Amino acid sequence: MPAKDFLGAIDQLKDIVNPNKTMIVFTGGEALVRKDLEQIGEALYQRGFPWGMVTNGMLLDEKRLQSLLNAGLRSATVSLDGFEEAHNWMRGSEKSYANAVRAIKLLAQTSEIRFDVVTCANRKNFDELPQIKEFLIECGVKEWRIFTVFPIGRAAEHKELQFEPKQFKAVFDFIAATRKEGKIALNYGCEGFLGNYESEVRDNFFFCRAGINIASVLVDGSISACPNLRANFIQGNIYSDNFADVWQNRYKVFRQKEWTKTGECENCKVYKYCEGNGMHLRDEKTGELLFCHYNRIKEGEKAV
């Protein structure tokens, strides 16, 4: 997408958002493959928008980081999915782990931005989590996030990416114990209502913000909510619609969630807290819930 097209869509929001309170994050794919990322970032900064990126670290070295900082970069997230074998297996590159670690160490020494590491917990790296924690602390990382994968696409094909209920529950026990230690600020990702674990594994109570205070512009111009969502949740396109008009007058599927009360959600006693889980966990054809964190944890408790 040409930078001018994206910036034009952002300019349509000027009358409905406060730029200083609206964070723009570049994700992908890989944000750093754009050679004009600094130019786009600087244009956003001049408009008053803070901006950040999610990266695999492959293209981040000291020179590029300084260039990004000069363009107004205010936040960064680097993915680290285990030590070398587990991480490179996940990422499909023999160079990925070394470059991710390089990026983490660089960012950990940078005081101008907010920075965290995110880890996709799975069967291959589960036993490494305590060692990963110590490694990140040694690197100077202050904030860490863990998330788990839902069974779509590659994650449905590779069973190593999916936890059995007992191990799924153990992930939250690990997060809770780490938080009590207080050596690193660890949070579980934003998806899934977790029952009694809510206050133990993250700072904020579960709430799917997709389409509520999160919108996205995808590479083809599609206007959606959380970038994790699939095509059935697209609300418009910047090449045919006004971004502000779409935000104010569409997104009904996210803001009126009665339709999610089907299948296992229909008679669930915790539905009022969960409201049907994260929108990206809904089947794109039927709307049924694909994965329930709360019930998976309950199964794990029985297996202990």
Side-chain angles (χ1 to χ4, degrees), residues 137-166:
I137 292 170
E138 289 175 9
C139 289
V141 175
K142 305 297 183 185
E143 297 184 58
W144 183 25
R145 273 182 295 146
I146 286 177
F147 69 98
T148 49
V149 185
F150 55 99
I152 289 292
R154 182 183 171 199
E157 299 170 6
H158 292 271
K159 300 302 181 183
E160 303 99 319
L161 291 171
Q162 295 294 311
F163 286 124
E164 294 296 330
K166 184 178 179 179

Short mmCIF file of all heavy atoms in Angstrom, two decimals, residues 137-166:
data_model
loop_
_atom_site.label_atom_id
_atom_site.label_comp_id
_atom_site.label_asym_id
_atom_site.label_seq_id
_atom_site.Cartn_x
_atom_site.Cartn_y
_atom_site.Cartn_z
N ILE A 137 15.10 -11.62 31.91
CA ILE A 137 15.49 -10.79 33.04
C ILE A 137 16.97 -10.39 32.92
O ILE A 137 17.35 -9.23 33.12
CB ILE A 137 15.23 -11.51 34.37
CG1 ILE A 137 13.71 -11.66 34.59
CG2 ILE A 137 15.86 -10.75 35.55
CD1 ILE A 137 13.34 -12.57 35.75
N GLU A 138 17.81 -11.36 32.54
CA GLU A 138 19.23 -11.09 32.35
C GLU A 138 19.48 -10.08 31.24
O GLU A 138 20.43 -9.29 31.31
CB GLU A 138 19.97 -12.39 32.03
CG GLU A 138 20.09 -13.35 33.19
CD GLU A 138 20.72 -14.68 32.78
OE1 GLU A 138 21.21 -14.76 31.63
OE2 GLU A 138 20.71 -15.61 33.59
N CYS A 139 18.62 -10.10 30.22
CA CYS A 139 18.75 -9.16 29.10
C CYS A 139 18.26 -7.76 29.45
O CYS A 139 18.46 -6.82 28.67
CB CYS A 139 17.96 -9.67 27.89
SG CYS A 139 18.68 -11.11 27.08
N GLY A 140 17.61 -7.62 30.60
CA GLY A 140 17.10 -6.32 31.00
C GLY A 140 15.68 -6.04 30.58
O GLY A 140 15.20 -4.91 30.66
N VAL A 141 14.97 -7.08 30.15
CA VAL A 141 13.56 -6.92 29.74
C VAL A 141 12.68 -6.72 30.98
O VAL A 141 12.77 -7.48 31.94
CB VAL A 141 13.08 -8.15 28.94
CG1 VAL A 141 11.60 -8.05 28.61
CG2 VAL A 141 13.90 -8.30 27.67
N LYS A 142 11.83 -5.72 30.93
CA LYS A 142 10.95 -5.40 32.06
C LYS A 142 9.54 -5.97 31.89
O LYS A 142 8.85 -6.24 32.87
CB LYS A 142 10.85 -3.89 32.25
CG LYS A 142 12.19 -3.18 32.40
CD LYS A 142 12.93 -3.65 33.63
CE LYS A 142 14.24 -2.86 33.80
NZ LYS A 142 15.04 -3.38 34.94
N GLU A 143 9.11 -6.11 30.64
CA GLU A 143 7.73 -6.54 30.38
C GLU A 143 7.73 -7.72 29.40
O GLU A 143 8.45 -7.72 28.41
CB GLU A 143 6.90 -5.40 29.80
CG GLU A 143 6.75 -4.22 30.76
CD GLU A 143 5.83 -3.15 30.20
OE1 GLU A 143 4.66 -3.47 29.89
OE2 GLU A 143 6.28 -2.01 30.05
N TRP A 144 6.88 -8.70 29.70
CA TRP A 144 6.79 -9.93 28.91
C TRP A 144 5.33 -10.31 28.78
O TRP A 144 4.55 -10.16 29.74
CB TRP A 144 7.59 -11.03 29.62
CG TRP A 144 7.68 -12.36 28.93
CD1 TRP A 144 7.59 -12.62 27.60
CD2 TRP A 144 7.95 -13.62 29.56
NE1 TRP A 144 7.77 -13.95 27.35
CE2 TRP A 144 8.00 -14.60 28.54
CE3 TRP A 144 8.16 -14.01 30.89
CZ2 TRP A 144 8.22 -15.94 28.81
CZ3 TRP A 144 8.39 -15.35 31.16
CH2 TRP A 144 8.43 -16.30 30.12
N ARG A 145 4.94 -10.80 27.62
CA ARG A 145 3.58 -11.31 27.41
C ARG A 145 3.66 -12.73 26.87
O ARG A 145 4.51 -13.04 26.05
CB ARG A 145 2.81 -10.45 26.41
CG ARG A 145 2.10 -9.26 27.02
CD ARG A 145 1.32 -8.50 25.96
NE ARG A 145 2.21 -7.90 24.97
CZ ARG A 145 1.91 -7.76 23.68
NH1 ARG A 145 0.75 -8.22 23.20
NH2 ARG A 145 2.76 -7.19 22.85
N ILE A 146 2.75 -13.56 27.32
CA ILE A 146 2.60 -14.91 26.79
C ILE A 146 1.20 -15.04 26.20
O ILE A 146 0.22 -14.52 26.75
CB ILE A 146 2.79 -15.96 27.90
CG1 ILE A 146 4.28 -16.07 28.27
CG2 ILE A 146 2.25 -17.33 27.49
CD1 ILE A 146 4.57 -17.03 29.41
N PHE A 147 1.12 -15.69 25.05
CA PHE A 147 -0.19 -16.02 24.50
C PHE A 147 -0.18 -17.46 24.04
O PHE A 147 0.88 -18.09 23.93
CB PHE A 147 -0.59 -15.06 23.36
CG PHE A 147 0.21 -15.22 22.10
CD1 PHE A 147 -0.29 -15.97 21.05
CD2 PHE A 147 1.43 -14.60 21.95
CE1 PHE A 147 0.43 -16.12 19.87
CE2 PHE A 147 2.16 -14.72 20.77
CZ PHE A 147 1.66 -15.49 19.73
N THR A 148 -1.35 -18.00 23.81
CA THR A 148 -1.49 -19.36 23.29
C THR A 148 -2.19 -19.29 21.94
O THR A 148 -2.82 -18.29 21.61
CB THR A 148 -2.27 -20.25 24.26
OG1 THR A 148 -3.48 -19.56 24.67
CG2 THR A 148 -1.45 -20.54 25.51
N VAL A 149 -2.10 -20.35 21.15
CA VAL A 149 -2.59 -20.34 19.77
C VAL A 149 -3.95 -21.00 19.67
O VAL A 149 -4.19 -22.04 20.29
CB VAL A 149 -1.59 -21.07 18.84
CG1 VAL A 149 -2.03 -20.95 17.39
CG2 VAL A 149 -0.21 -20.48 19.01
N PHE A 150 -4.82 -20.43 18.88
CA PHE A 150 -6.11 -21.05 18.62
C PHE A 150 -6.01 -21.89 17.35
O PHE A 150 -5.17 -21.63 16.48
CB PHE A 150 -7.23 -20.00 18.53
CG PHE A 150 -6.99 -18.92 17.52
CD1 PHE A 150 -7.58 -18.98 16.26
CD2 PHE A 150 -6.19 -17.82 17.82
CE1 PHE A 150 -7.38 -17.97 15.33
CE2 PHE A 150 -5.98 -16.82 16.89
CZ PHE A 150 -6.58 -16.89 15.64
N PRO A 151 -6.82 -22.94 17.23
CA PRO A 151 -6.65 -23.93 16.16
C PRO A 151 -7.18 -23.51 14.80
O PRO A 151 -8.17 -24.00 14.30
CB PRO A 151 -7.44 -25.14 16.70
CG PRO A 151 -8.51 -24.52 17.54
CD PRO A 151 -7.89 -23.31 18.18
N ILE A 152 -6.46 -22.56 14.17
CA ILE A 152 -6.81 -22.11 12.82
C ILE A 152 -5.54 -22.17 11.97
O ILE A 152 -4.45 -21.87 12.45
CB ILE A 152 -7.35 -20.66 12.87
CG1 ILE A 152 -8.73 -20.63 13.51
CG2 ILE A 152 -7.43 -20.07 11.47
CD1 ILE A 152 -9.82 -21.28 12.71
N GLY A 153 -5.69 -22.52 10.69
CA GLY A 153 -4.55 -22.51 9.78
C GLY A 153 -3.46 -23.47 10.21
O GLY A 153 -3.70 -24.63 10.52
N ARG A 154 -2.22 -22.96 10.24
CA ARG A 154 -1.07 -23.78 10.59
C ARG A 154 -1.22 -24.40 11.98
O ARG A 154 -0.78 -25.52 12.22
CB ARG A 154 0.18 -22.90 10.53
CG ARG A 154 1.49 -23.64 10.84
CD ARG A 154 2.65 -22.65 10.81
NE ARG A 154 3.87 -23.27 11.31
CZ ARG A 154 4.92 -22.59 11.74
NH1 ARG A 154 4.89 -21.28 11.73
NH2 ARG A 154 5.99 -23.21 12.18
N ALA A 155 -1.83 -23.66 12.90
CA ALA A 155 -1.99 -24.15 14.27
C ALA A 155 -2.93 -25.34 14.34
O ALA A 155 -2.87 -26.13 15.28
CB ALA A 155 -2.49 -23.03 15.17
N ALA A 156 -3.80 -25.48 13.37
CA ALA A 156 -4.70 -26.63 13.34
C ALA A 156 -3.98 -27.86 12.79
O ALA A 156 -4.34 -28.99 13.11
CB ALA A 156 -5.93 -26.31 12.50
N GLU A 157 -2.97 -27.63 11.96
CA GLU A 157 -2.24 -28.73 11.33
C GLU A 157 -1.12 -29.27 12.22
O GLU A 157 -0.83 -30.46 12.18
CB GLU A 157 -1.64 -28.24 10.00
CG GLU A 157 -2.69 -27.78 9.00
CD GLU A 157 -2.06 -27.08 7.81
OE1 GLU A 157 -0.81 -27.07 7.73
OE2 GLU A 157 -2.81 -26.55 6.97
N HIS A 158 -0.50 -28.41 12.99
CA HIS A 158 0.63 -28.80 13.82
C HIS A 158 0.19 -28.94 15.28
O HIS A 158 0.00 -27.95 15.98
CB HIS A 158 1.76 -27.77 13.72
CG HIS A 158 2.41 -27.74 12.38
ND1 HIS A 158 3.49 -28.54 12.06
CD2 HIS A 158 2.12 -27.03 11.27
CE1 HIS A 158 3.85 -28.30 10.80
NE2 HIS A 158 3.03 -27.40 10.30
N LYS A 159 0.03 -30.16 15.72
CA LYS A 159 -0.45 -30.42 17.07
C LYS A 159 0.50 -29.91 18.14
O LYS A 159 0.10 -29.68 19.27
CB LYS A 159 -0.69 -31.93 17.26
CG LYS A 159 -1.71 -32.53 16.29
CD LYS A 159 -3.05 -31.83 16.41
CE LYS A 159 -4.07 -32.44 15.45
NZ LYS A 159 -5.38 -31.72 15.48
N GLU A 160 1.79 -29.73 17.77
CA GLU A 160 2.76 -29.24 18.74
C GLU A 160 2.43 -27.83 19.21
O GLU A 160 2.90 -27.38 20.26
CB GLU A 160 4.18 -29.22 18.14
CG GLU A 160 4.65 -30.57 17.62
CD GLU A 160 4.46 -30.69 16.12
OE1 GLU A 160 3.41 -30.22 15.62
OE2 GLU A 160 5.36 -31.24 15.46
N LEU A 161 1.61 -27.11 18.43
CA LEU A 161 1.25 -25.74 18.81
C LEU A 161 0.10 -25.69 19.80
O LEU A 161 -0.16 -24.64 20.39
CB LEU A 161 0.88 -24.94 17.56
CG LEU A 161 2.03 -24.65 16.60
CD1 LEU A 161 1.51 -24.04 15.31
CD2 LEU A 161 3.04 -23.72 17.24
N GLN A 162 -0.58 -26.83 19.99
CA GLN A 162 -1.76 -26.87 20.85
C GLN A 162 -1.47 -27.59 22.16
O GLN A 162 -0.83 -28.63 22.17
CB GLN A 162 -2.91 -27.58 20.14
CG GLN A 162 -3.41 -26.86 18.91
CD GLN A 162 -4.05 -25.54 19.24
OE1 GLN A 162 -4.89 -25.45 20.13
NE2 GLN A 162 -3.64 -24.49 18.56
N PHE A 163 -1.95 -27.04 23.26
CA PHE A 163 -1.80 -27.67 24.56
C PHE A 163 -2.97 -28.59 24.86
O PHE A 163 -4.13 -28.29 24.52
CB PHE A 163 -1.75 -26.62 25.67
CG PHE A 163 -0.46 -25.85 25.74
CD1 PHE A 163 -0.46 -24.47 25.66
CD2 PHE A 163 0.74 -26.51 25.92
CE1 PHE A 163 0.72 -23.76 25.75
CE2 PHE A 163 1.93 -25.81 26.00
CZ PHE A 163 1.92 -24.43 25.92
N GLU A 164 -2.67 -29.69 25.53
CA GLU A 164 -3.72 -30.47 26.17
C GLU A 164 -4.21 -29.69 27.39
O GLU A 164 -3.48 -28.83 27.91
CB GLU A 164 -3.19 -31.85 26.59
CG GLU A 164 -2.78 -32.75 25.44
CD GLU A 164 -3.95 -33.12 24.56
OE1 GLU A 164 -5.08 -33.18 25.06
OE2 GLU A 164 -3.73 -33.33 23.35
N PRO A 165 -5.44 -29.94 27.87
CA PRO A 165 -5.99 -29.14 28.96
C PRO A 165 -5.09 -29.00 30.19
O PRO A 165 -4.95 -27.90 30.75
CB PRO A 165 -7.30 -29.87 29.30
CG PRO A 165 -7.70 -30.48 28.00
CD PRO A 165 -6.42 -30.89 27.33
N LYS A 166 -4.46 -30.09 30.62
CA LYS A 166 -3.62 -30.04 31.82
C LYS A 166 -2.46 -29.07 31.64
O LYS A 166 -2.15 -28.27 32.52
CB LYS A 166 -3.11 -31.44 32.16
CG LYS A 166 -2.30 -31.51 33.44
CD LYS A 166 -1.88 -32.95 33.73
CE LYS A 166 -1.03 -33.03 35.00
NZ LYS A 166 -0.64 -34.45 35.28
#
